[in-house]
Amino acid sequence: MDIWTILSSLETTRIGEFIQLSDWAFPAVEVVHVIAIVLVYGVIAIVDLRLLGLAGRTRRYADLAADSLQLVWIAFALAVVTGTLMFMAQATAYAKNPFFLTKMVFIALAGINMLVMEFVISRTRHEWGDGQRGIPVAARIAGALSLSFWTVVVVCGRWIGFTMFNAPF
Amino acid sequence: MMEFATWLSETGMSRQIQSHLWVIPALQSIHILAIACVLSSTLFINLRLLRQVDRAHSLEETAQRFLPWIWCALGVLVLTGVLLVIGEPVRELTSVPFWLKMVLILIGAAGTLWFQRTLKTPEAGWDLTRSKTRVRVFACGTFLLWCAVITAGRLIAYV
């Protein structure tokens, strides 16, 4: 069984068909997806801008990271669930869309960056202190990469709506 | 409104926006990044009101940190929003969700302004222990309000 057979079988599942045929299901799922990704981006940006010293310089990074972690995960989980639902409605078309594929690559890059930050760079975060000087260069780079990757994810996401076969703008 | 929208769609600026296919998605992308700033900043202020985040700092400090971001982002939203209307006047101005969104934005901006103005007056009571209901209603209400703004905005594409 090749990938295209699997993808087209997703479209004929009950959920796939329902989202495709219903008048309200796709817009409803899309609205939740937008709110979720907006929160993922916004909360991550608050953390990244702190790492870069562009905002919240008086905040301890460790405190900010602790405040944000749960919020980001809840919003990200919501974005993945709603994203999967939209994907199931037109799996083969999404899989051929260059903006969708780029978006997936950049989510993966953001994920790798996050893992490196979480398990390598920020292990010493409790020693970083309040000011900007305590933030290691590696952490600033991770912040810049994170902000760039997620910006590409959001922009590609919007562009999918303009390039998909029969998705409304 | 239809007449005005049609007239607007024939102006030079509208034609400029329409003739480049990348302009509308680019404006919408900036629009989304800016609303991310508004919603997340509101969320942090509201969670501070509920004493869930930024506990090492006072409410005033949290508000002073995030309010300027909200107002700047709202400026970007108005600018990109106006350009989107000029680019697609009939789609926007004849849409019910569009006008609903405009009303909700006014309420959201008024609520934020009211919070900012009454932040330092002690009788307004933004202390969770003293005015539990008021703080909770404001915190949940404004967050849901901006979510409703996003919802109405996305529904312009459908209704």
Side-chain angles (χ1 to χ4, degrees), chain B residues 82-134:
Chain B
V82 166
L83 290 171
L84 284 166
V85 170
I86 294 173
E88 296 179 307
V90 178
R91 174 190 191 254
E92 310 282 346
L93 297 174
T94 61
S95 153
V96 174
F98 172 82
W99 292 106
L100 182 65
K101 179 180 171 177
M102 294 304 113
V103 174
L104 293 171
I105 291 169
L106 286 180
I107 301 170
T112 307
L113 194 63
W114 175 63
F115 169 74
Q116 189 167 13
R117 287 276 166 86
T118 57
L119 191 57
K120 285 173 191 168
T121 48
E123 64 270 25
W126 290 108
D127 186 341
L128 184 65
T129 48
R130 280 191 296 168
S131 345
K132 212 168 233 174
T133 316
R134 172 218 191 89

Side-chain angles (χ1 to χ4, degrees), chain B residues 52-88:
Chain B
Q52 299 296 314
V53 300
D54 214 13
R55 271 169 291 200
H57 296 263
S58 71
L59 174 64
E60 259 184 73
E61 285 176 310
T62 309
Q64 275 162 8
R65 174 175 172 204
F66 288 105
L67 282 170
W69 286 89
I70 294 181
W71 292 119
C72 287
L74 280 174
V76 174
L77 284 161
V78 170
L79 190 70
T80 49
V82 166
L83 290 171
L84 284 166
V85 170
I86 294 173
E88 296 179 307

